[in-house]
Amino acid sequence: MAAALTRLSGKALGCALVNGGAPIRRLLSAEAAVAAASPSFSDVNPSPDDRVKWDYRGQRRIIPLGQWLPKIAVDAYVAPNVVLAGQVTVCDGSSVWNGSVLRGDLNKITVGFCSNVQERCVVHAAWSSPTGLPAETLIERYVTIGANSLLRSCTIEPECIIGQHSILMEGSLVETNSILEAGSVLPPGRRIPTGEIWAGNPARYVRQLTYDEIKEIPLLAMAINDLMQSHFSEFLPYSTVYLEVEKLKKSLGIPI
């Protein structure tokens, strides 16, 4: 029976080809249209390799580049939507706030003890500095970086304030106990001497800081450090095991 059906189907196919093959072409074109309109099995059910590649391309907070992996101290706060890539070190007590990007693909970036990089800042580092100084971006201790600032291969010594929307270019240096006011641009190789306020585009000397103003600089950094403690509740302390322990204690009648 199967052999007879095979012969009949072969004869029908031969007749169709002898008569110009138009029915066969219409059939094949219709099947091709249906196949193009419907998703394939691989599209609906991607292979494990495809899923791995898709997940790897997704947005991540910590991005290793080659041998370099960003380092975050245990008591540092890095917001969930911050991007750290490559040679980035976030030291003890420091904080990096929402939307900031620290890209250490060309050189090192360091956020020192009890310093803070506020919302939507961009920190980068070049291969080399025009001044011959180290091209890494170094933010030392008790430094406050205002929101929407851009830092590239600059050095900020301890206890300084960088105002919002400021730009610090390659090789620039802000010495200790100094303030760069909001919206200022520090050109490449420019230095702000210790104890001074600078402002403008390009930044220029404004005046000397008073003793009381100098004392307020580390206090501002410590206040932001205290504020970040309330944001640690966004993360579970170590794992979700403690939730299961609480359920078990509750089922056994043990006070939690």
Side-chain angles (χ1 to χ4, degrees), residues 31 67 69 95 102 126 130 135 137 156 158 164 198 200 223 226 239 256:
E31 290 179 351
Q67 62 178 329
L69 178 67
S95 56
L102 282 68
T137 299
I156 305 175
Q164 300 178 3
W198 283 44
D226 294 338
S239 67
I256 299 176

Side-chain angles (χ1 to χ4, degrees), residues 175-248:
E175 294 186 352
T176 185
N177 294 330
S178 299
I179 295 177
L180 181 65
E181 291 191 353
S184 300
V185 177
L186 198 60
R190 190 68 57 87
R191 177 179 68 93
I192 298 180
T194 182
E196 295 183 359
I197 296 180
W198 283 44
N201 181 11
R204 293 182 176 86
Y205 170 78
V206 177
R207 62 176 176 85
Q208 290 289 129
L209 284 167
T210 66
Y211 177 73
D212 292 335
E213 288 172 334
I214 291 175
K215 286 197 305 181
E216 290 293 327
I217 295 175
L219 295 179
L220 174 61
M222 288 188 288
I224 296 175
N225 177 273
D226 294 338
L227 177 63
M228 81 177 186
Q229 303 301 326
S230 61
H231 289 264
F232 274 113
S233 60
E234 297 178 14
F235 307 97
L236 295 175
Y238 298 104
S239 67
T240 57
V241 175
Y242 75 99
L243 296 176
E244 301 300 324
V245 174
E246 290 179 356
K247 290 180 182 178
L248 181 61

Side-chain angles (χ1 to χ4, degrees), residues 143-162:
V143 173
T144 296
I145 307 295
N148 293 285
S149 294
L150 169 62
L151 282 67
R152 179 176 169 83
S153 292
C154 58
T155 299
I156 305 175
E157 293 186 350
E159 300 183 15
C160 292
I161 295 176
I162 306 300

